[in-house]
Amino acid sequence: MIAALLTVFACAFAFALIGPVIARRVHPALATRVLVPAGIVIAAATTFALAVAAFTLIGQFPEVAELGPWSPNGLRADTPVPPVAAALGGVLLAYAAVSTALLISRRSVALIGVHRDCGRLGAPGALVVVESDTPDAFTTPELTGRIIVTRGMLNALSPAERQAMLAHEASHVRHRHIWWLLAADIAAAINPMLRPLARAMRHTVERWADEDAADATTDRRTVARAVARAALAAHAHHRRAASVAAAGGDVPARVAALLAPRTRRTRAAVVALAASFVLLAVTADASLQVQQHGETLFVHVMTGDAGPRHTGGE
């Protein structure tokens, strides 16, 4: 069991390292669609591994063992997980539960607030222009979001740049990028090793929207100017949008990517994606081994009619 547990955590660590690299080398749409679900799988696998490790210690309490039923002395004698490691697993499991609950509660409050403030501003999916001098443009995090643009942002851009900015925001609405980011953030809340990946996904969804805008306008330089001017206008007013916005992500990197010729990184993409799928396969196999070893351990120490009696002296 120890080898399987270590394999799960080693794969999670490796994925946390290569995930942001994959995000930079693969088309942003493909990177998001692959890495976010993969992050959820990795987070679920590590949570399961922590739960099994922690329960080898929790199961040694007589009150818990009676529910099995299994012999607490037999479990104490046969478990391959050291008590310190099992206790650490329980602490990390509790941290993941609390962190995830706090994240979901904060996002729920924010969603309610956005719906309260913007829910009456046009129909779902509509473009809403707000009479404000503060340059801002964002999409609301709803099932069918609205595009909210201030008059200050429209005045900061040329007509062609406005079209590019609106195409960017329309991509966020069409592909529901806010929900991809929420899934990445939940994975990171469960497993803190995935926080760099969650940050990378914020940049990746912006790059995804940039590429969609470039396709819609057929002018990458105009999209680059729109991204740069939107960011400069927002920065000048000390405005930092809380939602997915045109000035989000690593703006210099986004502008540089739009100004550079579009290249097809086929070989790099294949290698990166193959590496992620191999890690997922190894993680799934190791998780299955953890489950099998854990089940075998508890069946072995079961008492009564459920299995052979096992005591600490045997």
Side-chain angles (χ1 to χ4, degrees):
M1 181 188 292
I2 292 296
L5 288 170
L6 291 177
T7 300
V8 171
F9 297 125
C11 288
F13 180 71
F15 182 79
L17 290 178
I18 72 170
V21 177
I22 294 174
R24 292 193 298 268
R25 293 184 174 274
V26 179
H27 188 279
L30 179 60
T32 304
R33 288 168 171 153
V34 170
L35 293 177
V36 172
I40 291 292
V41 171
I42 292 292
T46 54
T47 300
F48 176 71
L50 289 174
V52 172
F55 200 72
T56 61
L57 180 61
I58 296 172
Q60 296 176 24
F61 291 98
E63 296 81 5
V64 177
E66 290 178 358
L67 302 176
W70 55 77
S71 167
N73 292 333
L75 180 59
R76 187 177 300 111
D78 288 355
T79 178
V81 182
V84 174
L88 179 61
V91 171
L92 293 176
L93 195 64
Y95 170 84
V98 172
S99 177
T100 305
L102 289 175
L103 172 68
I104 293 176
S105 63
R106 287 196 299 266
R107 296 297 173 85
S108 298
V109 170
L111 179 60
I112 293 172
V114 169
H115 183 71
R116 182 182 61 247
D117 296 337
C118 303
R120 298 179 181 179
L121 299 177
L127 168 64
V128 179
V129 178
V130 177
E131 297 298 331
S132 172
D133 293 332
T134 302
D136 204 358
F138 60 92
T139 61
T140 58
E142 301 165 294
L143 292 179
T144 304
R146 297 166 174 81
I147 299 175
I148 310 296
V149 183
T150 64
R151 184 65 62 182
M153 179 61 79
L154 294 177
N155 292 336
L157 304 177
S158 68
E161 292 165 353
R162 293 174 195 166
Q163 181 182 5
M165 181 265 296
L166 293 177
H168 174 102
E169 298 300 334
S171 174
H172 285 320
V173 173
R174 184 168 63 255
H175 299 297
R176 295 178 171 84
H177 287 160
I178 192 66
W179 300 105
W180 288 100
L181 293 180
L182 177 60
D185 288 342
I186 289 176
I190 295 172
N191 187 337
M193 287 191 294
L194 298 177
R195 287 176 182 173
L197 177 64
R199 289 193 295 268
M201 287 299 96
R202 294 189 177 279
H203 175 69
T204 302
V205 297
E206 293 298 335
R207 285 280 301 115
W208 184 352
D210 289 343
E211 292 297 330
D212 281 354
D215 290 339
T217 61
T218 66
D219 188 346
R220 299 179 67 83
R221 297 186 67 86
T222 297
V223 178
R225 287 197 304 269
V227 170
R229 288 186 178 177
L232 290 173
H235 179 72
H237 285 75
H238 304 286
R239 176 75 173 181
R240 189 173 182 179
S243 301
V244 176
D250 186 345
V251 173
R254 290 170 55 195
V255 173
L258 287 165
L259 293 178
R262 177 180 291 182
T263 58
R264 295 185 179 275
R265 302 175 179 176
T266 306
R267 180 178 299 178
V270 170
V271 172
L273 292 175
S276 64
F277 286 132
V278 168
L279 280 178
L280 287 177
V282 175
T283 302
D285 180 70
S287 299
L288 181 61
Q289 291 184 41
V290 170
Q291 186 272 331
Q292 292 173 342
H293 287 306
E295 183 178 355
T296 300
L297 171 64
F298 280 91
V299 168
H300 182 63
V301 298
M302 275 187 174
T303 61
D305 296 333
R309 184 178 299 274
H310 187 96
T311 64
E314 292 181 338

